[in-house]
Amino acid sequence: MWIFVVALVTLLILGYLYSTRKFDYWKKRNVPHFRPVPFFGTIYPVLMHKRSISQYLCDVYNMTDFSCGGFFLFDKPALVAKDPDLVKSVLMNDFSHFGDRNTAENKENDLLSAVSLFMLKNSEWEEARSRFTSTLSMGKVKAMFPLVVDAADRFVEHVRNVELSREVTECRELSIKYSLEALSAYAVGIQANSFQNSDFYQAARNLQNATFSRIVHSICYFFAHMFVKPFRMKFLEPESVKFVTEVFKKNVKLRREVEHTRVGLLEALIKMEGEFKNYNIDIQGLAISLEYITAGFMSNATTLSFSLYDLCVNPKHQIRLRGEIRSVIAKHGGLTYAALREMEYLDMCLKESLRRQPILGFLDRLCTKTYQIPNTDIIIDKGIPVYISLYGLHNDPRFFPNPEKYDPGRFAPENRDQLERFAYLPFGEGRRNCVGVNLANMIVKMGIVKLLLNFEIVPSKSTPDEITLEPSGFITIPKREEINVRFVKLAE
């Protein structure tokens, strides 16, 4: 028995020494940091679901007035870049030092996620980015306009037939259905029938849901890489991936057999066969389709639902926006692509909602070679992850006075030159920025326009005075995944 006790104590001591061996990393560099504890580092609140990843990184941001703040991912030092000049260096000026994201590599167990643009590293990412960026060019997005209009019309029809009779509408789930309806036509060439709760809707909805296991896997992919391969973790829900894969392959086969004039992702992916080395449509092509669906429909839905909430509780802005929409449509003789792009106040409202509730509350980069922070003697070693807290920047009163206030005027043309460019980053910046920003904006704006032309969005009996976020996961999720409003038919 005593041998077992001695062995256990020895293991604990060795574990303690190993887990604390780097705990003086930020102290040596005079970087403000949270005090780590053995085995956990400083991320205990994230592991215990007391704070989401985004909320925690915002806590690090707010910890200090210094240009950066340190913390520990278990035994690994990590940094939050706070000063916009440092953020600019990380994302753009010194990209050669920070070209990769700090996500786990798991090609053995999760190949489709591993070859996505989000996960790829180094030269593989460079090649894939140049290959797939064209699939979301301005011209291809413009060609999508009629399909998005069609999806938005079905959105309005559903609200008219189902939601008008309800005292409370949960508009986050409603936004998810519309977003997937609009995006699926492009990404997999089908009508998702989301408003009828189709099998495709259910599968896509569950690709990256907020269940306990998905949250754990997400945390590990971002924060605890050492667990990903041993436990064969998947970034996306396996059964949902299987279902979407079958739909993708079926529609690729159909496109090959039947000539289409439609301009969509499948056509572009088929065309790439034979044009690029190391390209397989059933791997790289499928991976990009999954990525566009997963990143696209949930981020669009999140943006749309928060925008609808902001307009609901700020009726004067809703009235002004509706007036602009009607005026611009009348000027163009209808709701055209050009008309949508001309709606300036709509753009201002959308930007302000994205400031208040960014889709993903942080950006992450990995230091790939030793880096000295400009104008300091602070050295960041190779392998140290660097994070940028969007919640911290977007709600910093230095850059956005009265940040808790909904004020689209911050983004008026006459004020834009006064904004700190690298303090507002809803779609990232630099070479790893979001490739789908144009399509995302079109889908979200179209949803807002169509709804405001037909309905007034008013508070329901359960509309909160302000949104509280779930303390878990890595994307922005409202408490109980609810954003409750009420739709009222506009007077003729």
Side-chain angles (χ1 to χ4, degrees):
M1 179 66 181
W2 65 269
I3 296 177
F4 172 78
V5 173
V6 169
L8 180 60
V9 171
T10 301
L11 284 174
L12 287 173
I13 292 172
L14 290 174
Y16 172 86
L17 293 174
Y18 182 82
S19 71
T20 60
R21 72 196 186 284
K22 298 178 183 178
F23 280 3
D24 61 350
Y25 187 90
W26 295 124
K27 183 178 180 180
K28 286 180 177 179
R29 289 160 174 76
N30 294 314
V31 173
H33 58 280
F34 282 138
R35 183 179 178 181
V37 297
F39 304 105
F40 295 104
T42 61
I43 61 165
Y44 183 81
V46 176
L47 300 177
M48 295 297 105
H49 295 183
K50 295 181 181 295
R51 305 289 284 168
S52 70
I53 297 174
S54 295
Q55 290 167 333
Y56 177 78
L57 294 173
C58 187
D59 293 340
V60 180
Y61 180 99
N62 290 325
M63 169 188 64
T64 177
D65 292 328
F66 195 58
S67 64
C68 54
F71 66 105
F72 291 85
L73 302 171
F74 300 97
D75 64 324
K76 189 183 185 71
L79 189 73
V80 169
K82 180 169 180 174
D83 180 74
D85 288 336
L86 178 55
V87 172
K88 181 179 180 180
S89 295
V90 171
L91 296 181
M92 185 176 291
N93 290 355
D94 298 314
F95 181 82
S96 61
H97 290 262
F98 301 98
D100 289 342
R101 285 195 169 95
N102 184 48
T103 49
E105 292 185 279
N106 190 20
K107 287 186 178 180
E108 296 88 345
N109 305 312
D110 193 8
L111 180 60
L112 290 176
S113 293
V115 299
S116 67
L117 286 176
F118 189 82
M119 297 284 190
L120 277 174
K121 306 288 193 294
N122 303 317
S123 59
E124 289 183 294
W125 170 80
E126 295 268 7
E127 182 182 351
R129 171 85 178 198
S130 63
R131 177 192 303 156
F132 292 119
T133 297
S134 63
T135 64
L136 286 169
S137 66
M138 187 69 77
K140 286 188 169 60
V141 169
K142 185 177 180 179
M144 274 285 294
F145 185 79
L147 296 176
V148 175
V149 171
D150 185 52
D153 286 338
R154 291 196 296 278
F155 188 19
V156 168
E157 182 181 8
H158 174 82
V159 173
R160 182 180 293 115
N161 293 338
V162 177
E163 304 300 334
L164 279 182
S165 61
R166 294 177 174 173
E167 290 296 316
V168 178
T169 291
E170 200 290 282
C171 71
R172 181 173 184 268
E173 190 67 25
L174 196 62
S175 298
I176 289 172
K177 291 180 177 182
Y178 159 67
S179 178
L180 184 61
E181 195 77 10
L183 197 60
S184 61
Y186 172 75
V188 288
I190 66 167
Q191 183 173 313
N193 293 319
S194 301
F195 298 112
Q196 288 75 47
N197 296 316
S198 66
D199 291 340
F200 182 83
Y201 165 74
Q202 296 294 341
R205 178 73 173 81
N206 289 328
L207 280 168
Q208 188 55 273
N209 54 38
T211 61
F212 177 78
S213 62
R214 285 292 96 218
I215 291 170
V216 170
H217 286 212
S218 297
I219 290 173
C220 290
Y221 263 88
F222 281 106
F223 275 4
H225 301 175
M226 74 287 283
F227 297 120
V228 171
K229 287 184 179 179
F231 290 95
R232 303 173 66 85
M233 291 183 174
K234 305 291 181 70
F235 191 65
L236 301 177
E237 201 279 317
E239 287 301 314
S240 297
V241 169
K242 181 179 178 182
F243 185 93
V244 175
T245 296
E246 291 173 356
V247 173
F248 175 86
K249 290 183 177 181
K250 177 182 177 181
N251 280 282
V252 167
K253 183 174 183 292
L254 183 64
R255 291 296 193 277
R256 285 176 172 150
E257 294 172 349
V258 182
E259 188 173 337
H260 282 263
T261 57
R262 175 187 241 171
V263 178
L265 180 62
L266 295 190
E267 288 72 23
L269 296 178
I270 292 171
K271 188 178 178 182
M272 288 178 188
E273 291 183 301
E275 293 184 5
F276 299 98
K277 64 178 182 179
N278 303 323
Y279 172 77
N280 183 327
I281 193 170
D282 290 337
I283 300 176
Q284 285 81 8
L286 173 58
I288 202 70
S289 180
L290 275 167
E291 183 171 10
Y292 285 179
I293 292 171
T294 308
F297 91 85
M298 191 57 76
S299 59
N300 294 345
T302 299
T303 302
L304 176 58
S305 58
F306 281 120
S307 296
L308 296 178
Y309 169 82
D310 285 335
L311 293 170
C312 169
V313 297
N314 295 280
K316 68 176 183 179
H317 295 288
Q318 181 181 162
I319 292 169
R320 178 177 171 180
L321 177 55
R322 185 178 291 108
E324 179 194 65
I325 291 169
R326 287 171 170 169
S327 175
V328 173
I329 289 176
K331 173 184 172 182
H332 284 262
L335 180 52
T336 63
Y337 182 74
L340 190 68
R341 287 177 59 83
E342 193 178 309
M343 294 176 187
E344 190 171 84
Y345 197 67
L346 172 60
D347 192 65
M348 291 161 55
C349 290
L350 183 57
K351 282 183 166 67
E352 176 66 348
S353 290
L354 281 166
R355 180 195 68 80
R356 286 161 52 83
Q357 303 290 356
I359 304 159
L360 183 64
F362 65 94
L363 304 174
D364 66 302
R365 297 292 185 268
L366 184 67
C367 184
T368 55
K369 53 185 176 181
T370 303
Y371 180 77
Q372 182 171 352
I373 296 178
N375 304 315
T376 75
D377 58 358
I378 299 171
I379 302 295
I380 303 176
D381 291 321
K382 177 181 178 180
I384 298 297
V386 176
Y387 293 86
I388 296 160
S389 171
L390 301 193
Y391 268 109
L393 288 167
H394 289 192
N395 289 279
D396 192 326
R398 294 181 300 161
F399 312 123
F400 300 100
N402 301 316
E404 69 286 346
K405 181 182 178 182
Y406 177 75
D407 180 11
R410 302 179 200 272
F411 298 96
E414 63 271 19
N415 295 330
R416 288 172 190 167
D417 291 342
Q418 302 172 28
L419 295 175
E420 172 59 64
R421 175 181 172 185
F422 284 85
Y424 179 72
L425 303 163
F427 296 101
E429 188 57 87
R431 293 170 64 188
R432 271 195 179 263
N433 68 337
C434 175
V435 298
V437 58
N438 292 322
L439 180 58
N441 279 333
M442 184 172 72
I443 290 173
V444 173
K445 287 180 179 180
M446 182 60 69
I448 295 172
V449 166
K450 285 288 187 174
L451 288 178
L452 292 192
L453 284 172
N454 289 275
F455 312 107
E456 184 180 1
I457 307 168
V458 301
S460 70
K461 59 185 179 183
S462 56
T463 300
D465 292 332
E466 60 182 41
I467 296 292
T468 303
L469 301 180
E470 282 287 355
S472 59
F474 75 101
I475 60 173
T476 304
I477 301 174
K479 198 74 172 179
R480 296 182 300 278
E481 299 191 54
E482 290 181 353
I483 298 181
N484 294 324
V485 300
R486 186 162 68 93
F487 287 98
V488 176
K489 185 179 180 181
L490 284 175
E492 297 294 339

